[in-house]
Amino acid sequence: MERVVWASPVNYVTDTHALIWSLFAEGRLSGHVRNLFQQTNEGEHAIFIPTVVVAEAIMVVEKGRVEGTVRELLQGLALMRGTGNYQFLPLLPETVLASHINTAIPDIFDRLIVTETQGLAIPLISRDGTIKQSGLVDVIWD
């Protein structure tokens, strides 16, 4: 009898735009990233969502930069959280303090997201050119 070995799920961190687009504008995601979110919904992966991503997403929705409401965003996040396939990361003082070395990233939100990703040593789902060019984390998009 042949032994079946199950692969463990692959983990990722999501950037703000990827999270928002997964909820409100899937067509803006690359095909690869759209598949990652779908596979996460099916339990094949886990995606970590930093607290700063949630804060930035609320701000983006409040400013009307996407078609959707804060209520819809919060409902989408609650559904994600309920699956167990999405893990919300607290923003710890250690993360904020450690972020000071990532000066290649000028935006504080992005710097904190990169620092969270470094701490987990997993890829970041992002199409942000500054983050990608920094080489500080592995970036998944295409």
Side-chain angles (χ1 to χ4, degrees), residues 12-97:
Y12 301 92
V13 174
T14 185
D15 200 348
T16 306
H17 58 273
L19 176 69
I20 290 172
W21 294 344
S22 75
L23 293 169
F24 296 114
E26 279 191 323
R28 296 191 70 181
L29 297 171
S30 71
H32 179 63
V33 169
R34 193 175 319 112
N35 286 338
L36 287 179
F37 275 96
Q38 183 59 42
Q39 291 167 352
T40 300
N41 292 337
E42 296 167 359
E44 295 179 38
H45 304 294
I47 292 180
F48 290 87
I49 304 172
T51 294
V52 70
V53 165
V54 175
E56 190 175 24
I58 290 170
M59 183 183 70
V60 167
V61 173
E62 285 177 341
K63 290 184 176 186
R65 294 185 185 161
V66 295
E67 297 268 336
T69 66
V70 171
R71 182 178 182 180
E72 291 169 329
L73 172 66
L74 296 177
Q75 288 172 340
L77 293 172
L79 288 173
M80 288 175 147
R81 192 175 209 173
T83 69
N85 303 327
Y86 296 88
Q87 301 294 316
F88 288 72
L89 299 172
L91 179 58
L92 300 174
E94 294 80 11
T95 301
V96 176
L97 294 170

Side-chain angles (χ1 to χ4, degrees), residues 71-135:
R71 182 178 182 180
E72 291 169 329
L73 172 66
L74 296 177
Q75 288 172 340
L77 293 172
L79 288 173
M80 288 175 147
R81 192 175 209 173
T83 69
N85 303 327
Y86 296 88
Q87 301 294 316
F88 288 72
L89 299 172
L91 179 58
L92 300 174
E94 294 80 11
T95 301
V96 176
L97 294 170
S99 73
H100 83 280
I101 63 170
N102 291 327
T103 57
I105 311 293
D107 179 85
I108 188 60
F109 289 117
D110 291 343
R111 191 180 290 192
L112 292 168
I113 293 164
V114 165
T115 304
E116 291 275 16
T117 304
Q118 289 172 321
L120 294 169
I122 58 178
L124 174 65
I125 299 170
S126 179
R127 77 168 216 183
D128 187 298
T130 301
I131 293 174
K132 187 170 185 165
Q133 289 175 354
S134 76

